Amino acid sequence: MSLLTVYDESTPGTPLLTAQDAPTIARELAAIGVRFERWESPVTLADDADSDAVLAAYRPYLDRLMGESGAGTADVIRIDADTPNKPALRARFLSEHTHSEDEVRFFVRGEGSFILHVEGRVYDAHCTRGDLISVPTGIRHWFDAGENPDVTALRVFTDTTGWVAHYTGDPIAERFPARFAL
Ligand SMILES: [Fe+2]
């Protein structure tokens, strides 16, 4: 289930707020410029649906989002037991970083946490099937899908060369591991 947990950056063990309902999560994240929506698929997709089927299923949502944001391309990424080099892949985004374009992800299946560091607070947005999150350019964040990731996600790009991690060097992510024991 979707879950937002908000902390003061100095107190990792003590949440200031937890929310499981989408309107509250969307409101809290909107306050820091992060877009969060729930998308209901108009069709039931098989877990092994190919990329074209996934893109077609969510095309109306994608067209709306891309029309509003000016993003030009979308693709499908899968990370599962067959993905090579999972530890290295996980490590790439496990430290605090920024990007020079919005990081837009929709969870087709599986789960993962975007953890955002904004104005002295840490927002752990644990996303699951049906969640759309857009992390704006320049926002400090990290991402974790756990040691055994099993995720299919849509990625939406304005400029595919912009999605490079610029590490901040702040070790804060070590104090705020993603919450998976929900
Ligand atoms: Fe990122």
Side-chain angles (χ1 to χ4, degrees):
M1 100 187 45
S2 315
L3 175 66
L4 175 67
T5 313
V6 184
Y7 304 88
D8 185 277
E9 65 182 0
S10 63
T11 53
T14 310
L16 300 172
L17 173 115
T18 60
Q20 296 180 344
D21 65 292
T24 302
I25 294 172
R27 188 181 66 240
E28 293 294 326
L29 292 179
I32 57 168
V34 173
R35 181 173 182 159
F36 177 88
E37 297 174 358
R38 296 275 305 163
W39 291 0
E40 303 299 333
S41 175
V43 298
T44 301
L45 282 169
D47 283 351
D48 62 351
D50 65 22
S51 296
D52 286 345
V54 172
L55 287 164
Y58 293 99
R59 179 53 60 189
Y61 293 100
L62 284 170
D63 285 348
R64 175 176 58 84
L65 180 72
M66 293 165 84
E68 290 174 15
S69 67
T73 57
D75 69 7
V76 178
I77 184 171
R78 299 164 199 278
I79 305 171
D80 58 26
D82 296 330
T83 302
N85 299 322
K86 287 193 293 294
L89 194 62
R90 183 186 190 204
R92 278 175 64 191
F93 302 109
L94 207 50
S95 298
E96 188 183 77
H97 63 273
T98 63
H99 302 288
S100 59
E101 77 154 50
D102 297 354
E103 182 169 1
V104 185
R105 299 291 182 267
F106 172 75
F107 287 76
V108 176
R109 54 178 296 279
E111 59 186 329
S113 285
F114 279 93
I115 306 167
L116 317 159
H117 183 200
V118 181
E119 295 180 357
R121 293 197 170 175
V122 172
Y123 298 74
D124 180 344
H126 183 85
C127 298
T128 56
R129 180 194 293 258
D131 290 345
L132 178 281
I133 188 166
S134 177
V135 180
T137 302
I139 280 201
R140 293 172 170 235
H141 67 279
W142 52 102
F143 175 80
D144 195 13
E147 292 182 358
N148 299 296
D150 188 11
V151 182
T152 302
L154 284 168
R155 305 188 296 183
V156 181
F157 298 102
T158 302
D159 171 5
T160 53
T161 63
W163 191 56
V164 174
H166 302 289
Y167 298 104
T168 66
D170 186 330
I172 186 171
E174 297 168 14
R175 294 190 286 117
F176 287 91
R179 291 183 58 170
F180 282 97
L182 304 181

